[in-house]
Amino acid sequence: MADCVVRLSPHRLMPSLLALQPLLWISALNAQGLSAFSYGLSLNSMSAMPRAPSRTPDTLNAWQARGSYSERPTWLNDVSQSVGVRAPAKAPRWVWSAAWKMGKRALPFLHRWDPCCPQDTCVNLVVVWLKAIAGNRLGKSKGDDGIAFAMLPCYTRLVIARPFCYLYPRLHHQNIAIRSAFLDAALKTEVRQNADDGTKTSVIVLGAGFDGRGLRRMALTPEIEPDRWAEVDLESVVQQKRALLQRALRRRPDLLALSKRISWHAANLSNAEEARGAVCDALLQDAQATSPRSVVYVCEALLIYLPEASARALLSAAVDEAVGAGARRVSFCFADKLPGVQKAFDLDAATEVLAASRLQLDEATWTPKPGLARHMGVARFRNNDAG
């Protein structure tokens, strides 16, 4: 019998068959979102937010509307308004959990024929998809300028392109949009203050993952952006990000010149010596610079993955190395969970943890929010011995 099998290339399969899997995921996700809205949007908080960093709700609080707390009924709206981003939907916790699990399960389909073959190390891959959704919904001024979307695979990324991005309920991507907006504003303020003081700024992103903040900030506000930008993460993550950025730059050649101003440094940040060495390398040009310098560290959802002792050691090493390189001022912009600080509103504990690394928390910037990366703020150290 003649062979009647039709052999299709991946390029023909991708827009037709493979795309059905993410579309089914979208339909299921929105179906769960709609059922949550019909049953859960009117629910008030039944208990305090759980301390354990778990995304899986238990039977007691599964129907609790996440982000709705009886003791602070306007908390989530207040945080959202302060950064200029809409608040996430007040859907029950089981919807948040289901949406997260569905997103994780969709990744193998979304990257089935992706030549970059990125891995979901510490949810980096999930987060870049979520940032792409948020970026497409928010636009250029408040979003990420389409950088995350440009990193994604050719065909499967279309399921989150406009107008499909508006089909997604405002859940995890909106929560990430809040912390991204806070860090962007904090970074912009620190760079401007350093410029007013007559110092150039070097930015070091600790645990950068697949985030495109460096390109985004330099592209949107070049007149105040830092002279140097460095990123530190695991070697495997750095290599994967290089591949994703190469794909993004082919689609966005306007960012090619800016990408050359970014340096990457590999280190396991849970290892104090590796972390110190990577930060030292990132600051090498600062130590040799003749003009005054300031250093701004950016930390987004990194410390939650580190043991408490390692997180404390990383903070101390970051400040020590910057001071050793002659930095006039050291800033720490964070949207994370500070080590040893369990409660979101525990200002005293947060101040104590940062003070142990010689950082003084600016209370005006202290912005707790719901979620795992619940502490947002800016802490600084002024090096009076610097020239």
Side-chain angles (χ1 to χ4, degrees), residues 4 66 84 90 167 211 225 300 357 387:
C4 296
R66 183 178 178 184
K90 292 183 179 179
L167 296 175
D211 182 58
E225 281 313 306
E300 180 182 7
S357 299

Side-chain angles (χ1 to χ4, degrees), residues 126-207:
V126 171
V127 169
V128 76
W129 279 89
L130 294 173
K131 288 190 174 184
I133 295 173
N136 287 345
R137 289 175 62 111
L138 293 172
K140 183 175 180 178
S141 60
K142 293 184 179 180
D144 72 338
D145 195 24
I147 294 173
F149 186 66
M151 292 184 183
L152 300 178
C154 293
Y155 297 111
T156 55
R157 71 177 186 145
L158 297 179
V159 301
I160 64 169
R162 292 183 177 180
F164 302 115
C165 60
Y166 297 104
L167 296 175
Y168 293 82
R170 296 192 320 274
L171 298 176
H172 297 285
H173 69 263
Q174 200 69 11
N175 194 32
I176 289 177
I178 290 175
R179 75 190 194 201
S180 294
F182 175 87
L183 287 174
D184 286 347
L187 177 60
K188 186 175 181 178
T189 298
E190 294 305 297
V191 173
R192 179 179 287 120
Q193 289 180 354
N194 291 338
D196 292 343
D197 291 341
T199 65
K200 292 186 176 181
T201 301
S202 291
V203 175
I204 300 179
V205 185
L206 300 173

Side-chain angles (χ1 to χ4, degrees), residues 80-91:
S80 301
Q81 290 176 7
S82 69
V83 298
V85 175
R86 289 185 67 186
K90 292 183 179 179

Side-chain angles (χ1 to χ4, degrees), residues 26 102 119 141-142 218 220 262 296 317 332 355 362 367-368 374:
I26 293 173
M102 288 181 179
Q119 302 299 310
S141 60
K142 293 184 179 180
M218 288 188 284
L220 294 180
I262 301 176
V296 176
F332 181 62
D362 183 350
T367 311
R374 63 194 62 166

